[in-house]
Structures are given as structure tokens and as C-alpha cells.
Amino acid sequence: MKTETGADTATHPEGQGRNPESQPVGVETVPASSSWTKAEPAPLMEVVVEKVNMARAYRRVVTNKGAPGADGMTVDQLANHLKQHWSTLRERLLAGEYHPSPVRAVEIPKPKGGTRQLGIPTVTDRLIQQALLQVLTPLFDPGFSASSYGYRPGRSAQQAVSAMKTHVAAGHRWAVDLDLEAFFDRVNHDLLMARVARRVHDKRVLRLIRRYLEAGMFQDGLTAPRRQGTPQGGPLSPLLANILLDDVDKELERRGHRFCRYADDMQVYVRSRRAGERVMASLSDFLESSLRLTVNRDKSAVGRPWNRGYLGYTLTRHKLPKLTLAKASVQRLMQRVREILKRGRGRNI
């Protein structure tokens, strides 16, 4: 599966069939009985820069293509750049001395209006982030919730929508629809890094991830520092978002709720409006107090699933509901068709 920017996610459906022998070489495994000891950091960076892992990351970056970053280097120029500079780059990564370049700010339109700011890393940084992603995904993904569907190996938006239908058909016919305001811009770096450090012990990798979080935003010839947020546009951002929001998933599981989460799009399914309002209040408090995120009160609501679209779909009111495209999705489709047909006017068919 590809992320919003085409980042690769290794195929490991739900971590099934995994055993300690299947994890990357060099990843530290500390038995529960000895977790109090001061074990040496796992040499995770060596796994990141290993030849096979970097070759796989290179193929993914080249396949995804994408726009140049702040340095102007294109994907087609990456091979020659690595031939000249890879040995130095590798030494800097292993020594923990590599510093990412600023990301290039790009505005793209949102489906529902307005714009979203992406941060496009340089091609070199996309390569390194992809190599990190390939090593970190097997560490974190098997522990994620079964109700989390966004940017995960073997998971999709279609599965999330199907799960929504299942929950509603089971009698949970009220949806708690939570909207996180500017989620990717509000991520607290300290909270996120504390959660990454639960499984990553190599300090070089931890420093590198924090440097990617803090890399400045290059726009209009100037670089602005960043003290919070994880910019959309790099291969690593979706995994980092899932790591932080996994706390929400675990809290909902602890309470026994049925829910679906696709990145920062989240719905909880309950049996009554009153229960939904209780969940809305308590979950909003959890998100704001524990994770320092902001719930958009204007867009969040408790309502019937057929009145609250999810990932471009909605449900019918039937006891056994059917999936149907949300009105907004149909309108976007028709607008796109009009644009395509308009381009063909005046041409000889």
C-alpha cells in the first residue's frame, strides 16, 4: 500500500504468523523479566543503512517519482548523487551526525474546500525516511489496533468503510464523529518521541526522527523553524501519526467501544445519542489533555451514520444498511467529469 505521498509500507497483515526470528537483525528484544536492566542500545541504524534495505528504499522512491524538494534535485538525479556521496552520507548517519534539509512548502486543495500544506522533503531525505519506515514498520505495526486502517500494510479505506457497516448492522446506530483540527500541524514532538522511544532504543535513530520533525519549512525563499507538527509529504509522517494516535485506539479498546480510525479520521459507534454524547465529551477530554490535540467542535458531532459520511461513503437507514457514496463524493465526481469533458470541446472526435 502507498501513503499519500506514495511511501511504501511493507506487507505484514496484522502481524500474523510473526515470531522473534522474523524481526530485522539488530532489533533489540528484551525479555520482560530483564526489562529493568540497562541494556545496550540496539544497533538499529546499521539495519537502516544496510545495502538491501537502502536498495529497496531507492526503488520505492524512484517508482513514486514526486516533485523536487528545497534543493531542486529530481528523482532522476538521485542515482548519480548517491554514487558520489553515499559513503559520506552513510558515515554521517552511522555517526548520528546527519541533519535533514528543510522541507519545501506546497499548498494543495482540500476535497471539501480550502487548502492543505504539504512539506516535500528533498529526494535524499525521502530515501532516508523510506529506509527508516521499512525498518520501523515491523516494530510498531503488529501492536496497532485492529480498528486502525490508515497507511498500514494490508489495510485500506475500503476495509474501514466495511467495518463501519458491520458495526451499524450490529445495532450501534449512532456515530460519534470526531474531527481533529489541523492534526498534522499540532502533533507535540515530545509526546510523539516518548512513544517512539518505547520500542526504539538506538539514540541515533531517535535523534534523526526528531530532526525530521524539527526540519524547517522552506517557503518564498525563507526557512521557518518548526516546533510542533509532522508535515504531510514525507514517507515517515503517516507512521508517526499512527504511533501517536495508537493511544486513542487503546483507550477506546479499554472502554470496549466499536470504532474505526483511518489516520486522523475517527468514528465511534454506540447504541444511543446519550451514550454518544458521553463518549464525545470524555474522548475529547482525553485527546486534548493526554495528547494535546485540538478537537474541532464545529465539525465534530453525534449523529446517525446515514447523516455523517465517512471516508467518502455513507449508509442507508435499513436495518441491514447498504453502502452508498456520500453526496459530497458524488458532487466531486461530477465536477471532475465536467472538467474532463470541457477540455474536449471543439475537438474532432
Side-chain angles (χ1 to χ4, degrees):
M1 187 184 77
K2 291 185 181 180
T3 68
E4 195 168 315
T5 55
D8 174 54
T9 47
T11 305
H12 248 314
E14 287 299 294
Q16 294 176 359
R18 285 180 56 81
N19 57 64
E21 295 178 359
S22 66
Q23 68 181 27
V25 176
V27 175
E28 181 182 26
T29 304
V30 182
S33 60
S34 62
S35 60
W36 58 271
T37 61
K38 294 182 179 180
E40 286 297 311
L44 200 61
M45 187 63 82
E46 279 74 5
V47 183
V48 172
V49 302
E50 196 270 333
K51 185 176 180 180
V52 173
N53 188 56
M54 292 304 304
R56 181 183 163 208
Y58 173 82
R59 289 192 298 271
R60 175 57 58 182
V61 170
V62 170
T63 300
N64 292 340
K65 298 182 180 180
D71 63 355
M73 185 191 299
T74 66
V75 170
D76 295 333
Q77 296 171 320
L78 179 59
N80 286 334
H81 177 78
L82 292 175
K83 286 178 183 177
Q84 298 179 46
H85 302 289
W86 170 242
S87 60
T88 302
L89 181 59
R90 183 177 183 277
E91 289 174 8
R92 290 171 64 194
L93 287 166
L94 290 173
E97 296 176 354
Y98 179 78
H99 289 264
S101 301
V103 297
R104 183 169 67 88
V106 176
E107 300 282 343
I108 63 168
K110 288 184 178 181
K112 297 181 181 179
T115 60
R116 173 185 290 115
Q117 187 179 68
L118 299 186
I120 308 300
T122 64
V123 177
T124 302
D125 281 324
R126 293 211 293 271
L127 175 72
I128 297 169
Q129 284 195 35
Q130 181 64 37
L132 279 168
L133 177 70
Q134 292 167 182
V135 172
L136 295 177
T137 295
L139 285 180
F140 287 96
D141 191 81
F144 288 156
S145 169
S147 297
S148 167
Y149 296 92
Y151 307 118
R152 295 184 57 194
R155 297 248 147 183
S156 67
Q158 288 80 5
Q159 290 174 336
V161 170
S162 178
M164 169 186 69
K165 178 183 174 184
T166 300
H167 296 325
V168 175
H172 296 74
R173 294 168 68 85
W174 288 88
V176 181
D177 194 355
L178 273 155
D179 184 271
L180 295 176
E181 187 174 324
F183 166 72
F184 284 91
D185 298 330
R186 301 282 176 87
V187 170
N188 182 281
H189 292 173
D190 291 335
L191 286 176
L192 173 57
M193 290 308 304
R195 282 146 183 79
V196 175
R198 291 171 182 172
R199 292 186 177 272
V200 174
H201 307 294
D202 190 322
K203 292 183 179 179
R204 298 167 298 176
V205 174
L206 293 173
R207 281 197 300 267
L208 181 58
I209 294 172
R210 182 175 277 275
R211 285 170 185 165
Y212 274 119
L213 290 172
E214 295 176 348
M217 186 76 76
F218 184 78
Q219 189 172 25
D220 299 326
L222 298 174
T223 300
R226 190 172 61 247
R227 294 179 177 82
Q228 66 177 8
T230 170
Q232 292 175 272
L236 202 53
S237 291
L239 175 63
L240 296 178
N242 276 332
I243 290 172
L244 182 65
L245 290 175
D246 186 58
D247 277 24
V248 185
D249 299 342
K250 295 299 189 289
E251 178 66 15
L252 289 169
E253 288 177 342
R254 186 185 67 79
R255 299 181 188 184
H257 288 306
R258 292 173 178 247
F259 68 97
C260 293
R261 183 177 67 78
Y262 190 95
D264 58 330
D265 287 317
M266 190 184 324
Q267 283 193 349
V268 185
Y269 306 96
V270 295
R271 293 184 181 273
S272 68
R273 175 181 286 278
R274 188 174 179 181
E277 290 171 348
R278 286 198 302 268
V279 171
M280 176 68 78
S282 62
L283 195 55
S284 296
D285 180 68
F286 177 85
L287 287 163
E288 293 178 342
S289 61
S290 298
L291 298 182
R292 302 182 196 175
L293 299 171
T294 302
V295 175
N296 188 326
R297 310 284 175 173
D298 295 331
K299 294 184 179 180
S300 300
V302 178
R304 294 292 195 178
W306 43 88
N307 295 327
R308 307 293 303 182
Y310 188 58
L311 301 179
Y313 288 84
T314 187
L315 294 172
T316 63
R317 298 169 181 259
H318 301 96
K319 189 172 182 180
L320 292 177
K322 298 179 181 179
L323 279 174
T324 179
L325 282 173
K327 289 182 180 179
S329 299
V330 176
Q331 289 170 355
R332 287 197 298 272
L333 174 62
M334 294 305 296
Q335 179 60 32
R336 181 62 179 149
V337 170
R338 289 190 198 101
E339 291 172 0
I340 293 172
L341 293 178
K342 187 176 180 180
R343 291 174 193 168
R345 287 179 185 172
R347 294 181 185 176
N348 187 321
I349 294 177

